[in-house]
Amino acid sequence: MAKLPVQREGDEIGTDTAQPAIQPPTSRREFLRSATLFTATVAGLGGGLELLTRRPSGAGAAGSSAAPLGRVKRPLGPYDTSEAVTPYAQATTYNNFYEFGLDKSDPAQNAGSLRTRPWTVRIDGEVRKPQTVDIDTLQSWFPLENRVYRMRCVEGWSMVMPWMGFALAALIRRVEPTGKANYVSFTSLHDPAQMPGQRSEVLQWPYTEGLRLDEALHPLTFMALGLDGRALPNQNGAPLRLVVPWKYGFKGIKSIVQITLTSERPATTWALAAPSEYGFYANVNPAVDHPRWSQATERRIGEFSRRQTLPFNGYAEQVAHLYKGLDLRRNF
Ligand code: MTE
């Protein structure tokens, strides 16, 4: 594993200069840059970093139209937060999607190269009805719901996102889990031709994530196909991504091509990359710091002062029972 770089200002502090002074963490971006160089050296490969940061000529910002959202007009449902929604322009230009680069602005610049039609999703493993389904067919199976969720990134920033999609539980029930299904594993597209970041070994590709089956069946766990009433922009994970609002944002795997029910706990990308820093559970927890920075507060994108981070990102009432008896310090 790569040596940690010297502490310097992290990108999770955002671009505001008027931030209250906090301990500046070493950003994951800096960490990854050092890891990339390390990998490139060990493997004898060159140019990984350049590949990640190079912008293809002529690729404009994908889907970054600007209308601010403010408050959602429709009546709020039982799963919605009433907090002000993050402006669309920010939610679609300040992204993490390492398949398209390490900087927050890279996905909006580079994800135009992702083709989201035709697109199929393979659903298999411990299910009675394994199948490969076209994304438009999959979409037609479920009435689309709106969910306004908080999203807290492990880096210390947060947003409020108006997703459209369907509950993951509906999809899982449709394929009929067997008695051996304990976990759900998710896999993103692996196609370096479309995803320039995958030409570098900055992470193990494809990006994978996982949930326990009971977490996956929780009514808050959501598959997003849209944002703010429009199709999901590529940089936000088109055409299909996972949203688990009580967990750190890295659990929200983008551009999913495979969902596999398993009996054993699946390997997940960030836990493989840095197991002492990113756990399988990744429940938002202000009491358990990241080894290199505090998780007690967060910067809501668009706000100046930092706010307190809430246990389970404010969804404790709905989900804390899932973790009864589990030591959350060890199972971070
Ligand atoms: N999914 C894939 N395939 N690749 C990624 O790099 N980044 C994760 C998650 N899903 C990521 C991913 C991280 S770290 C975060 S915080 C969220 O996506 C960011 O989602 P957003 O860009 O829509 O805000």
Side-chain angles (χ1 to χ4, degrees):
M1 183 45 63
K3 267 198 306 188
L4 298 187
V6 184
Q7 285 234 329
R8 46 178 288 187
E9 190 175 7
D11 59 344
E12 61 276 14
I13 304 302
T15 49
D16 291 345
T17 46
Q19 291 301 304
I22 66 159
Q23 180 66 24
T26 303
S27 73
R28 286 199 298 172
R29 188 179 56 177
E30 292 305 320
F31 175 79
L32 283 172
R33 283 201 204 290
S34 70
T36 307
L37 291 171
F38 178 82
T39 309
T41 311
V42 169
L45 304 169
L49 195 61
E50 281 147 55
L51 276 172
L52 272 170
T53 50
R54 198 183 60 205
R55 281 171 178 70
S57 56
S64 58
S65 87
L69 289 176
R71 307 236 168 229
V72 167
K73 303 258 178 346
R74 67 181 170 76
L76 294 178
Y79 302 115
D80 293 327
T81 173
S82 60
E83 289 165 47
V85 164
T86 301
Y88 187 81
Q90 287 179 294
T92 56
T93 54
Y94 188 88
N95 299 103
N96 276 334
F97 200 169
Y98 293 112
E99 286 87 335
F100 295 102
L102 296 182
D103 288 334
K104 293 285 182 282
S105 57
D106 286 339
Q109 291 293 324
N110 300 337
S113 57
L114 179 65
R115 290 186 309 275
T116 58
R117 295 292 188 285
W119 188 280
T120 57
V121 181
R122 173 84 192 146
I123 310 162
D124 58 10
E126 292 296 343
V127 297
R128 287 196 187 86
K129 296 183 170 170
Q131 54 201 287
T132 300
V133 59
D134 177 74
I135 187 71
D136 295 315
T137 306
L138 189 154
Q139 186 165 332
S140 73
W141 285 346
F142 311 103
L144 288 193
E145 292 177 50
N146 296 290
R147 300 282 181 94
V148 186
Y149 281 165
R150 288 179 287 276
M151 183 179 76
R152 167 64 155 81
C153 178
V154 74
E155 296 166 342
W157 53 266
S158 63
M159 297 194 190
V160 176
M161 307 283 275
W163 303 110
M164 283 170 54
F166 57 89
L168 175 60
L171 178 58
I172 291 179
R173 295 212 169 93
R174 192 177 169 110
V175 294
E176 298 180 11
T178 70
K180 291 189 194 148
N182 297 321
Y183 293 91
V184 185
S185 158
F186 304 84
T187 309
S188 294
L189 179 69
H190 187 204
D191 185 354
Q194 296 188 64
M195 296 177 142
Q198 289 179 339
R199 295 174 213 155
S200 154
E201 294 179 35
V202 66
L203 289 173
Q204 281 188 36
W205 308 114
Y207 195 103
T208 59
E209 257 309 333
L211 295 171
R212 262 180 8 202
L213 184 60
D214 60 341
E215 296 178 317
L217 292 174
H218 191 282
L220 282 170
T221 306
F222 203 60
M223 300 301 292
L225 296 152
L227 180 68
D228 181 30
R230 329 170 200 195
L232 207 53
N234 287 358
Q235 61 267 39
N236 293 90
L240 181 70
R241 74 163 298 162
L242 177 67
V243 182
V244 195
W246 71 92
K247 293 181 179 282
Y248 290 119
F250 68 84
K251 297 296 284 186
I253 180 172
K254 296 177 170 183
S255 304
I256 294 168
V257 294
Q258 188 165 4
I259 301 174
T260 306
L261 280 78
T262 61
S263 56
E264 303 299 322
R265 189 158 106 177
T268 55
T269 291
W270 278 101
L272 283 172
S276 61
E277 305 196 2
Y278 309 104
F280 175 80
Y281 281 95
N283 293 318
V284 174
N285 191 341
V288 176
D289 288 340
H290 184 279
R292 290 180 285 129
W293 58 84
S294 164
Q295 293 292 23
T297 65
E298 66 200 55
R299 187 176 73 95
R300 179 67 49 85
I301 296 300
E303 290 181 356
F304 286 108
S305 37
R306 295 182 73 85
R307 43 166 82 209
Q308 295 298 314
T309 288
L310 300 174
F312 299 104
N313 202 23
Y315 299 94
E317 208 179 305
Q318 292 99 316
V319 302
H321 68 274
L322 296 175
Y323 309 102
K324 231 172 151 202
L326 197 70
D327 179 350
L328 297 178
R329 267 180 196 283
R330 286 168 55 96
N331 297 280
F332 56 89

